[in-house]
Amino acid sequence: MTLVSKDILKAAEILKREELVAIPTETVYGLAGNIYSETAIKKIFEMKKRPFFNPLIVHIHSMEQVMELAVNFPDKAKELAQAFWPGSLTLILPKKNEVPDLITARKDTVGIRMPQHELTLELLRNLDFPVAAPSANPFTHISPTTAQHVKNYFDGSLEMVLDGGNCENGIESTIIGFENEKTVVYRLGSISLEDITSIIGPVTVKNNKEQAPNAPGMLEKHYAPRTATYLVDDIIEFIALHAGKKIGLLLHSTDHPDYAVTQVNYLSKTGHLKEAASRLYNAMHELDQLDLDMIVAQRLPDHDLGKSINDRLKRATK
Ligand code: TXA
Ligand code: MG
């Protein structure tokens, strides 16, 4: 049985023994291990069934820790960190030799983030090492946004989930790196492009597999329910074409006709994008448990967090 608890000292004790603990963050739950323990890091990859070519994000609690991991902290990166940390921003920086290659998939960069969750920040302050933490789901499955989601995935094989409640933002961090003088967004996420550009001006977006073979987390099929999932513009037509099927709808708002389907889940009754992001994975987990023939998601407006949500929905579909 996996322990689900708020006991930070217990979580710290487990991590110090080179075991894993799932930790809450404001984006999604992470599967955490000591970055300097090869044993712990190998367990992360094994438990997730994640390929070793896919690097992990290192989680820290203070700005000073950046210099333990990165050879330099460029001004643009610092500006972003000052604006968004603690928060849903991952910075890709040139790595120090001390950062194990297993974490960075032999790249010369390391992904670093300071999460905004008081329990996890307090846990990190109790440790004398940072933790690596990918999302706490089996490879390509839907990311967990509650302790129960994590328990459903790993009950028995994981020692503990540190229970921090619902993840407030609900989708993963925005990942940003630097190529020559350019600021590059490798993964759309919880912080919108609009918010990023308001701090540092124009950015280049390389949020897909073709353009960013070096950001393997952006594999095309990812964040996927077990139920066949479709992202459509015309829901009425899709339902008509699939009469007789058990369909679950994932709708952006209540602003629509009454559809004759098995289940309707709303991301936000009022069409609020931040609320939609925070509910996205929870709604997908719920629909995925109903034994439906298909999940049909409605495309969101393509701006602000709507862009990030559409990105996750695209990757969840066949
Ligand atoms: O919000 C989040 O970022 C969550 C929470 C737990 O912090 N973590 C998360 O981790 O989403 P994960 O492993 O599911 O996704 C990490 C992404 C992957 O796409 C990986 O390829 C990319 O980060 N990444 C990590 N290090 C990188 C590096 N050095 N260069 C390029 N991409 C990197
Ligand atoms: Mg993930």
Side-chain angles (χ1 to χ4, degrees):
M1 276 276 283
T2 300
L3 171 70
V4 177
S5 145
K6 294 186 191 306
D7 186 345
I8 291 172
L9 294 180
K10 174 76 182 165
E13 179 264 312
I14 294 171
L15 287 164
K16 286 175 192 166
R17 281 199 259 117
E18 304 184 87
E19 289 295 333
L20 308 185
V21 173
I23 55 167
T25 81
E26 81 286 16
T27 60
V28 301
Y29 276 74
L31 187 60
N34 176 352
I35 67 161
Y36 300 117
S37 159
E38 193 178 317
T39 311
I41 301 305
K42 281 192 169 153
K43 279 181 195 157
I44 293 179
F45 283 96
E46 275 159 29
M47 199 173 288
K48 273 185 71 85
K49 300 199 168 50
R50 175 175 175 126
F52 283 108
F53 63 72
N54 200 354
L56 307 177
I57 295 172
V58 175
H59 293 64
I60 58 171
H61 63 82
S62 77
M63 287 279 188
E64 288 72 56
Q65 285 179 294
V66 171
M67 293 320 296
E68 176 186 336
L69 304 161
V71 288
N72 59 51
F73 197 178
D75 286 344
K76 275 187 180 167
K78 237 181 234 160
E79 250 180 277
L80 287 169
Q82 267 150 9
F84 298 113
W85 279 357
S88 312
L89 167 76
T90 294
L91 290 171
I92 306 292
L93 299 177
K95 90 176 192 76
K96 280 209 165 139
N97 285 338
E98 289 79 356
V99 179
D101 285 335
L102 201 52
I103 287 174
T104 58
R106 303 199 161 274
K107 287 170 174 301
D108 51 13
T109 54
V110 56
I112 306 174
R113 145 168 146 82
M114 191 192 298
Q116 184 174 39
H117 194 294
E118 212 26 69
L119 267 191
T120 288
L121 288 171
E122 191 53 35
L123 169 65
L124 291 171
R125 288 183 209 113
N126 272 277
L127 301 170
D128 56 9
F129 49 83
V131 299
S135 52
N137 52 277
F139 188 57
T140 76
H141 285 49
I142 310 169
S143 302
T145 54
T146 66
Q148 187 61 44
H149 292 158
V150 181
K151 194 172 161 82
N152 292 347
Y153 281 138
F154 298 118
D155 202 13
S157 52
L158 174 66
E159 218 175 305
M160 177 175 175
V161 183
L162 184 63
D163 187 358
N166 286 329
C167 300
E168 202 181 325
N169 292 353
I171 55 176
E172 293 82 354
S173 60
T174 302
I175 301 182
I176 295 188
F178 305 90
E179 293 178 16
N180 305 317
E181 289 307 297
K182 278 195 191 142
T183 305
V184 184
V185 175
Y186 293 111
R187 178 173 73 181
L188 297 172
S190 260
I191 296 177
S192 69
L193 285 179
E194 286 84 344
D195 284 349
I196 300 287
T197 52
S198 77
I199 302 291
I200 42 158
V203 297
T204 306
V205 179
K206 290 191 176 176
N207 182 59
N208 68 47
K209 201 172 142 210
E210 285 69 42
Q211 287 166 297
N214 288 333
M218 300 323 291
L219 294 169
E220 250 159 332
K221 186 164 155 46
H222 220 108
Y223 315 108
R226 288 163 305 142
T227 315
T229 301
Y230 301 85
L231 178 61
V232 302
D233 291 307
D234 190 338
I235 290 183
I236 295 181
E237 183 191 69
F238 189 95
I239 294 172
L241 281 172
H242 296 86
K245 297 274 190 207
K246 277 192 281 173
I247 297 178
L249 284 185
L250 196 54
L251 298 180
H252 175 33
S253 70
T254 48
D255 181 20
H256 67 85
D258 265 343
Y259 297 111
V261 293
T262 311
Q263 172 77 23
V264 181
N265 274 14
Y266 302 102
L267 290 181
S268 161
K269 295 201 170 176
T270 56
H272 192 265
L273 290 171
K274 199 162 162 52
E275 186 186 15
S278 78
R279 289 218 5 94
L280 177 69
Y281 291 142
N282 206 21
M284 280 163 66
H285 278 284
E286 273 173 31
L287 290 175
D288 204 22
Q289 277 162 11
L290 295 179
D291 213 14
L292 300 161
D293 296 320
M294 48 184 65
I295 297 171
V296 182
Q298 176 183 37
R299 203 184 306 276
L300 273 78
D302 207 36
H303 60 83
D304 294 295
L305 291 178
K307 251 193 188 344
S308 310
I309 299 169
N310 285 336
D311 170 75
R312 300 302 189 272
L313 287 172
K314 255 181 262 163
R315 290 174 208 279
T317 58
K318 307 267 169 212

